[in-house]
Amino acid sequence: MMLEMIATFFVAFWLLVGAIFSLVGSIGLLKFNDSMTRLHAPTKVGTVGVGALLVASMIHSYAFGDGWSIHELLIMAFLFVTAPISANFIAKVVIHKKSCETPPPPTKDETWSTLDIPEADREYTKTEKA
C-alpha cells in the first residue's frame, strides 16, 4: 500500500512536469514571431515534456503490477534521436529559403556550414554533372 501511494506522488509529479513543459511549448509556438524562434519551443516539448510523461507512465506500470515496460524507453530513444534531426532539417530549409535573418558568416572558413564549394572541389562537381 505504501509503494502505491509513493508511486502515485511520483507519477503526479512527472505528469505535472510534462504538462507544464507542454503548455509552455505550446504557448511559445503561438507567441514567437518567426519560424526560427518558433522551432525552439516544440523541440523542447518533444524531448523534455514527452519524456516526463513517459517517465510517469513507466513508474505507473511498475508500481501497479504490470512490471517494467520497455515500450516507453523505446519511444524516448526514438524521440531523443529524431527531434534534433528534424529540427536541424527544418532550420536548414528556413535558412536556404532565406525567410529568416541569415546567420553570421563563419570566421575562419567560408565553406563551413554553407553550400559553397571549395575551389579545389569545383572541378569534380563539373565532371559529375556532365
Side-chain angles (χ1 to χ4, degrees), residues 1-15 55-65:
M1 183 65 174
M2 186 67 173
L3 175 68
E4 287 92 6
M5 192 164 74
I6 293 171
T8 302
F9 286 119
F10 277 115
V11 168
F13 171 75
W14 286 112
L15 284 174
V55 167
S57 175
M58 287 172 45
I59 293 171
H60 183 271
S61 67
Y62 177 73
F64 294 101

Side-chain angles (χ1 to χ4, degrees), residues 28-115:
L29 185 62
L30 296 173
K31 190 131 175 102
F32 290 138
N33 295 330
D34 62 339
S35 28
M36 289 300 272
T37 54
R38 259 189 219 143
L39 182 62
H40 181 72
T43 54
K44 296 304 172 207
V45 170
T47 52
V48 179
V50 176
L53 295 174
L54 290 171
V55 167
S57 175
M58 287 172 45
I59 293 171
H60 183 271
S61 67
Y62 177 73
F64 294 101
D66 294 337
W68 285 108
S69 177
I70 194 78
H71 298 96
E72 286 89 353
L73 289 175
L74 293 173
I75 293 169
M76 268 196 238
F78 179 75
L79 283 173
F80 290 162
V81 168
T82 57
I85 294 170
S86 61
N88 188 3
F89 282 136
I90 291 170
K92 281 184 177 184
V93 166
V94 170
I95 288 172
H96 289 297
K97 283 178 66 177
K98 301 206 186 294
S99 60
C100 70
E101 229 178 88
T102 320
T107 56
K108 296 180 182 177
D109 187 7
E110 293 183 10
T111 61
W112 182 83
S113 77
T114 63
L115 293 178

